[in-house]
Amino acid sequence: MAALVDDPLSASAASQEAPIEFDIQGDVFHVQHIDTVQKVRQAVDQLLLSSSIAVDLEGVDLSRVGTISLIQIAPENSKSVYLFDITVLKEKAFNAGLFELLTKKTVMKVFFDVRGDCDALYHQYHFTPFPVVDCQIAMMSAPRRRESQYVSGLKKAFKFARTLPIGVKEQLEIVKEEGLRFFAPEFGGSKEAWDQRPLVRELLIYASVDVWYLNVIFKEYRRESGMTLDELQRMTSKRILRVIGSEEELKGPHMAERDF
């Protein structure tokens, strides 16, 4: 297993200025923490050149009533990850270009389980990203999972992905476990860790790996599903509309039930 650059398993706080680098099995990733309006504009200018980006959110009780702390974006075919700091910037991040990016018709957005993320964006910032495809729908639409009454989460999506080497999966587990120690109460962490500044590098890296590898597994699961992007986009849009119009809380066992 390759060592992480500036070992993310250390407990020191991450610099909020210099880009962070980390290594997963020889692949070096560059993480940019976007916490000023100028950085938002510069990052958005770069991301608007992409035809597809993976998107994920982190927050405290992330929902329509919780907080959005970070919006993570990884462009396709790049080793860069951009972490937009919503705790610091709030509406200014969207006004400086993030809204334009997340609604740009020429840039496809890839999520994994759009429900919580899009519900939070809609009820807190009054928009939903577009166009959007949900990797969870693609995964569960493959012939071997099509009849399942339940959906799998991102952890299982990584576990079952054939395109991810075993060494990568093992290192992802280490990174995720270290992150959980900071924000998961059952591991001794605090949910409010996502809103504390400066963010420790363990959380910055935790937030980065999911969204970058989402680009990788999406290609595999869409291919397995046999769905076109248009078909997947239509199913994703219906899923978003159902959830933002529902009064049902997006927590509990019912979230594991297939809803498409």
Side-chain angles (χ1 to χ4, degrees):
M1 182 181 298
L4 297 181
V5 176
D6 291 331
D7 185 6
L9 306 186
S10 69
S12 60
S15 166
Q16 306 296 288
E17 294 299 327
I20 295 169
E21 290 188 347
F22 66 97
D23 180 308
I24 299 286
Q25 293 292 297
D27 281 331
V28 178
F29 299 88
H30 308 276
V31 180
Q32 298 195 44
H33 179 219
I34 311 299
D35 58 355
T36 69
V37 167
Q38 181 181 4
K39 289 180 181 179
V40 172
R41 290 172 178 152
Q42 292 171 343
V44 167
D45 284 345
Q46 290 296 313
L47 290 165
L48 284 171
L49 301 175
S50 303
S51 60
S52 180
I53 56 176
V55 184
D56 192 20
L57 277 65
E58 299 292 351
V60 180
D61 291 325
L62 184 63
S63 65
R64 63 183 64 180
V65 296
T67 65
I68 300 174
S69 305
L70 291 177
I71 296 180
Q72 307 96 263
I73 297 178
E76 187 181 29
N77 301 321
S78 170
K79 291 294 195 301
S80 295
V81 180
Y82 300 82
L83 306 183
F84 292 85
D85 198 328
I86 308 304
T87 295
V88 171
L89 295 171
K90 297 182 170 59
E91 291 86 354
K92 288 185 286 187
F94 300 98
N95 295 338
L98 193 52
F99 171 80
E100 177 189 5
L101 173 65
L102 291 176
T103 56
K104 188 75 170 179
K105 291 182 179 180
T106 57
V107 183
M108 181 62 71
K109 293 85 187 175
V110 180
F111 283 74
F112 191 95
D113 191 351
V114 292
R115 293 175 293 178
D117 292 350
C118 286
D119 192 57
L121 286 169
Y122 179 77
H123 287 281
Q124 295 188 40
Y125 293 99
H126 315 298
F127 80 97
T128 57
F130 178 86
V132 177
V133 289
D134 192 333
C135 182
Q136 188 180 58
I137 294 177
M139 178 186 180
M140 301 308 300
S141 297
R144 57 194 170 123
R145 301 185 187 91
R146 201 167 286 162
E147 302 304 318
S148 174
Q149 298 180 21
Y150 300 95
V151 295
S152 296
L154 186 56
K155 183 176 181 179
K156 285 189 177 179
F158 286 148
K159 179 181 179 180
F160 297 145
R162 296 167 178 168
T163 49
L164 296 184
I166 293 176
V168 167
K169 294 177 182 180
E170 291 175 346
Q171 200 162 349
L172 287 175
E173 280 292 309
I174 293 173
V175 170
K176 301 299 282 185
E177 288 172 4
E178 287 301 312
L180 288 170
R181 291 195 301 109
F182 287 89
F183 75 88
E186 61 270 29
F187 290 92
S190 168
K191 292 186 290 186
E192 285 69 32
W194 287 113
D195 279 342
Q196 295 171 359
R197 296 297 180 271
L199 277 165
V200 295
R201 66 175 286 119
E202 286 86 350
L203 290 183
L204 294 173
I205 294 174
Y206 177 100
S208 300
V209 294
D210 278 357
V211 73
W212 192 88
Y213 282 100
L214 177 54
N215 277 320
V216 178
I217 65 171
F218 174 65
K219 294 176 183 177
E220 174 181 341
Y221 288 129
R222 186 173 80 85
R223 185 171 60 250
E224 278 190 3
S225 74
M227 300 175 71
T228 67
L229 278 177
D230 285 344
E231 290 171 333
L232 188 51
Q233 187 183 327
R234 284 195 295 271
M235 288 186 68
T236 301
S237 295
K238 289 178 181 179
R239 196 180 201 195
I240 293 171
L241 288 173
R242 280 197 302 271
V243 73
I244 65 176
S246 173
E247 296 300 322
E248 191 173 30
E249 188 176 8
L250 298 183
K251 291 182 180 179
H254 70 280
M255 292 297 289
E257 297 173 0
R258 191 186 192 99
D259 64 320
F260 49 85

